[in-house]
Amino acid sequence: KNQSPTKNIESRNCAAHRTAAAAAGVRRVQYHQENVMERAGIEIMNKDFRKSTVYQIYPKSFCDTNKDGIGDLRGVIEKLDYIKELGTDYIWLTPFFVSPQNDNGYDVEDYYNIDPSYGTMEDVEELIAEAGKRDIGLMFDMVFNHVSTRHEWFRKAMDGAPYYKDFFIFRKGKGDGVPPTNWESKFGGNAWEYVEKFDEYYLHLFDVTQADLNWENENLRKEIQKILKFWMEKGVRGFRFDVINLISKACYEDDETGDGRKYYTDGPKIHQYLKEMHDATFGTDPGIVTVGEMSSTTMENCFKYAGRDTGELSMVFSFHHLKVDFMGNEKWVLVPADFQKLKDIIFDWQTKMAEHNAWNAVFWCNHDQPRVVSRFGDEGKYWKESAKMLGTIIHCLRGTPYVYQGEEIGMTNTDFTDISQFKDVESLNHYQILQHKGLSASDALRIIQIHSRDNGRTPMQWDDSKYAGFAAEDSAEPWIAVNGNHTKINAADQLRDEDSIFHYYQKLIALRKELDIIAYGSIEPLAEKDPCVFAYRRMYEGHELIVAANFYGRDYTWKNAPDVDGYTRVIGNYKDAAAAENGVMGLRPYEAAVWYK
């Protein structure tokens, strides 16, 4: 654990590492036979995911306890009481398995062992047990569309073993030096890599070191089922499946748009694969919650992915509402956010998923997104009000809310001023691509500053010390720089302040547990075409909830507002209630309020 990340990576190539991995394979049987929760004497509670809230942790940036500049699992254990105080029910941990870290852990080398930079199997077991004592379930992030090219399966495939070569998607090129298709990798460049030994190409929809898996192969699917069963036996209570709707490829043909998405998104066998995985693994335990990350998906597919009785997943992440500051599907541009489009998308998904008895994960932030207060709110004068307003909108919707580390204290985008400060492979690739398209270096940097995934990956801001409490002051420098505003935005200050963003999020999370209408109620959009107001009504068994928010930093008069006389304001981001009479409601900058009857 005390080695530098570089040394850890180098060590994995040596014989000693391979020997250790082999020994770990022997230990897997022992681990599989012993449930961590049972050993700790903890009763496993089956939670209702509709009344629950999930807290997402990006371990690399959460808390560093061994002073190597990288967050670790013991850091998560150290902060469990903080998460318990916030009130969330599950912790979603992004991958901490053995990995060369070319894509920050989403390039998995070994699903059964822990990357030394994060800790040990014993740390994972202790984390599961300690979280269980606090009635918090662990949700692991499983990457099954692709593996690292350092994974044992791929190495055996490259050695020429037919059994393992069929775990991957190898194809002949269309001609000398011409890949099988013109598909573009999501990280830039062609999605096929040539292997001279075979005179074939392998598919990698992401980085060249992330080889796509061949789900047509039943043996591959059974290996994936074994992995899930292993972690279920450990006491894991949930799974998040990374880009899971890309696992079924329709065919391998050129795409006139050049990106190939239509041939691998929501493919022809995707529902078959998910049902099979459900029935063989997590579907055998009704207490396990699952969520699928759905890339560029359709709502019609999500009715099945997350339908109440379809036997696939508990809920889905969709990202259409987070493309309202894109130009079409193009992320690497600077355009203002389209508020009307944001409302249309959210309300469309809310109402239609409800009509089909399907469930959403509702969220603004994660490790792949910019910070929402920087994106749709105000980092300056109305920082606190806008952060609370955005939280109000999400937490009262129909769906399970996700809070990404630091969102509950209003963390902002990075303050990076030079490309050398960025670490994300996608951002660095597109910095070069943008310049090849003719942009200046300064214009390319400005786009990266706004859209980079690193905006959500700077260290968690615990206090105002040198490294924001992410690491001790005598530690190695964090793997990515701390945001300079940690002296003003940090958890320690907010825990002391009853009017803080943290305490507001705490109340929102508690409100979902207290009021059944938030978890189970229907939803009716309000002010659908209003240029400034985001509002909706929830209804359930004679109860009503009205949520209203001014999305902008100026006073606004909402005409044709609902009458809230006789309602109780159960939460709001201003101390006193908004003035409302005769169908007119005055809303202050970024004001949000929730009325209940």
Side-chain angles (χ1 to χ4, degrees), residues 88-126:
T88 53
D89 303 274
Y90 294 91
I91 294 172
W92 157 26
L93 289 160
T94 57
F96 48 81
F97 308 113
V98 174
S99 165
Q101 299 292 321
N102 291 325
D103 188 22
N104 284 296
Y106 282 87
D107 47 328
V108 177
E109 182 179 341
D110 183 347
Y111 293 103
Y112 293 100
N113 282 288
I114 312 309
D115 195 286
S117 59
Y118 292 120
T120 65
M121 182 63 79
E122 288 72 23
D123 292 333
V124 173
E125 292 184 329
E126 183 178 343

Side-chain angles (χ1 to χ4, degrees), residues 313-329:
L313 302 170
S314 306
M315 67 191 87
V316 291
F317 285 118
S318 63
F319 297 90
H320 299 71
H321 68 298
L322 295 177
K323 296 181 180 179
V324 296
D325 51 0
F326 288 21
M327 188 176 289
N329 273 325

Side-chain angles (χ1 to χ4, degrees), residues 41-60:
I42 301 164
E43 182 180 355
I44 295 176
M45 303 295 292
N46 290 341
K47 296 173 178 286
D48 183 346
F49 60 79
R50 294 170 296 177
K51 293 184 79 72
S52 299
T53 303
V54 181
Y55 189 83
Q56 183 195 351
I57 290 178
Y58 190 69
K60 191 171 185 178

Side-chain angles (χ1 to χ4, degrees), residues 28 41 58 69 77 91 111 185 214 272 315 344 442 495 507 552:
R28 288 174 198 163
Y58 190 69
I77 295 170
I91 294 172
Y111 293 103
S185 161
N214 175 24
Q272 172 191 326
M315 67 191 87
D344 290 346
S442 59
L495 286 168
K507 291 171 186 173
Y552 293 95

Side-chain angles (χ1 to χ4, degrees), residues 213-319:
L213 291 167
N214 175 24
W215 275 70
E216 293 280 341
N217 185 334
E218 183 181 7
N219 292 322
L220 179 276
R221 300 198 303 274
K222 288 187 180 298
E223 286 294 330
I224 285 168
Q225 292 166 18
K226 289 178 187 176
I227 294 163
L228 291 173
K229 290 174 183 176
F230 172 86
W231 289 111
M232 286 170 61
E233 285 291 324
K234 285 287 190 187
V236 172
R237 303 307 295 154
F239 296 105
R240 182 261 191 189
F241 295 107
D242 185 65
V243 293
I244 195 66
N245 65 319
L246 306 187
I247 60 176
S248 173
K249 278 68 173 178
C251 59
Y252 302 94
E253 299 177 4
D254 280 350
D255 183 356
E256 64 276 7
T257 66
D259 62 20
R261 292 184 191 200
K262 69 180 183 181
Y263 293 125
Y264 59 72
T265 303
D266 300 324
K269 295 184 179 179
I270 181 62
H271 298 290
Q272 172 191 326
Y273 294 155
L274 288 179
K275 286 178 182 177
E276 180 184 77
M277 185 165 64
H278 169 280
D279 292 347
T281 59
F282 52 82
T284 62
D285 183 344
I288 289 184
V289 62
T290 54
V291 57
E293 182 194 27
M294 301 300 169
S295 174
S296 302
T297 190
T298 66
M299 200 183 308
E300 291 70 24
N301 274 290
C302 288
F303 297 157
K304 299 176 184 177
Y305 293 143
R308 184 178 299 167
D309 301 313
T310 55
E312 296 188 26
L313 302 170
S314 306
M315 67 191 87
V316 291
F317 285 118
S318 63
F319 297 90

